[in-house]
């Protein structure tokens, strides 16, 4: 989603009612962030909406991007939020061989999640299609990517072919390097 540098943004300040709606949607998606929401998105703060090409919206506070959204899809938190509150996000892990492809902007493929060294949650903790997940790399402490799963984790294990994730934000991409003016 952010392979190219982010350029030519159109910024606007959100009204307080729109801010409350965004805050509520964010908490609905990530209920484990509730204890930290006032640190991430204080009630009295001024949230900015930055519209980019390809129907991508960024939400920024104090010149820092908090999360992004493509059209009306799920809100995807910036990796810096995932790094600050890792316990609040569903997680999966890729094997060492997939790391360089993920960091080059390639789609996350099922074999990178099912080979030795990768990790998917057990059946009783299945993650459903359309869920935002943090992607960790084998042997690494912080997430290297965050995005939306294209299929549930059980299907990833069974099918083991094709793309497993869409719309990702990864370390070193245009969003990671983006500085709000």
């Amino acid at each position: 989603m952010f392979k190219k540098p982010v350029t030519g943004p159109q910024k606007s300040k959100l009204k307080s009612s729109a801010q409350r709606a965004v805050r509520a949607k964010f908490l609905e998606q990530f209920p484990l962030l509730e204890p930290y929401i006032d640190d991430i998105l204080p009630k009295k703060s001024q949230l900015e909406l930055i519209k980019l090409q390809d129907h991508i919206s960024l939400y920024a506070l104090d010149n820092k991007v908090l999360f992004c959204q493509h059209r009306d899809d799920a809100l995807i938190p910036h990796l810096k939020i995932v790094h600050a509150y890792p316990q609040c996000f569903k997680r999966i892990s890729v094997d060492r061989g997939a790391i360089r492809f993920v960091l080059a902007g390639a789609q996350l493929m099922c074999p990178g999640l099912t080979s030795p060294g990768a990790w998917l949650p057990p059946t009783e903790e299945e993650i459903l299609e359309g869920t935002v997940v943090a992607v960790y790399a084998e042997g690494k402490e912080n997430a290297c990517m965050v995005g939306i799963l294209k299929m549930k984790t059980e299907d990833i294990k069974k099918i083991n072919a094709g793309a497993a994730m869409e719309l990702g934000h990864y370390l070193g991409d245009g969003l990671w390097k983006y500085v709000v003016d």
Side-chain angles (χ1 to χ4, degrees):
M1 180 160 53
F2 295 102
K3 286 185 180 182
K4 297 177 185 174
V6 177
T7 58
Q10 185 180 36
K11 287 187 347 183
S12 61
K13 294 185 185 294
L14 287 179
K15 294 180 179 180
S16 59
S17 59
Q19 262 186 230
R20 283 192 301 274
V22 168
R23 182 182 167 112
K25 182 174 182 176
F26 193 63
L27 282 175
E28 179 184 320
Q29 272 187 243
F30 307 106
L32 296 176
L33 281 173
E34 179 125 24
Y36 313 104
I37 194 64
D38 287 329
D39 296 334
I40 298 168
L41 190 56
K43 287 183 180 178
K44 298 291 182 183
S45 60
Q46 180 60 59
L47 194 62
E48 289 183 316
L49 172 62
I50 303 166
K51 292 187 177 185
L52 306 175
Q53 67 278 6
D54 301 326
H55 306 282
I56 297 171
S57 299
L58 305 178
Y59 295 91
L61 179 68
D62 299 329
N63 295 328
K64 295 177 188 161
V65 176
L66 299 177
F67 36 90
C68 61
Q69 184 176 30
H70 181 258
R71 296 189 190 264
D72 289 328
D73 290 341
L75 294 170
I76 299 175
H78 194 283
L79 273 169
K80 291 177 183 175
I81 291 181
V82 176
H83 292 169
Y85 308 99
Q87 71 282 8
C88 298
F89 299 94
K90 304 243 184 220
R91 65 188 297 158
I92 57 177
S93 181
V94 295
D95 66 350
R96 288 184 190 277
I99 297 171
R100 69 184 178 117
F101 296 106
V102 167
L103 296 180
Q107 283 192 320
L108 183 57
M109 305 302 281
C110 292
L113 293 167
T114 57
S115 60
W119 181 85
L120 287 170
T123 305
E124 59 274 4
E125 296 174 26
E126 179 179 45
I127 302 172
L128 300 177
E129 174 184 344
T131 303
V132 175
V133 295
V135 180
Y136 288 76
E138 177 184 5
K140 302 297 178 189
E141 181 180 325
N142 290 317
C144 61
M145 182 181 192
V146 62
I148 303 170
L149 282 182
K150 287 178 91 169
M151 59 178 87
K152 60 186 180 178
T153 52
E154 285 307 302
D155 288 346
I156 292 172
K157 292 175 190 174
K158 288 178 189 168
I159 297 169
N160 198 22
M165 180 178 283
E166 63 182 53
L167 302 177
H169 158 47
Y170 57 93
L171 288 174
D173 69 2
L175 181 59
W176 181 260
K177 297 173 184 173
Y178 181 66
V179 177
V180 180
D181 298 332

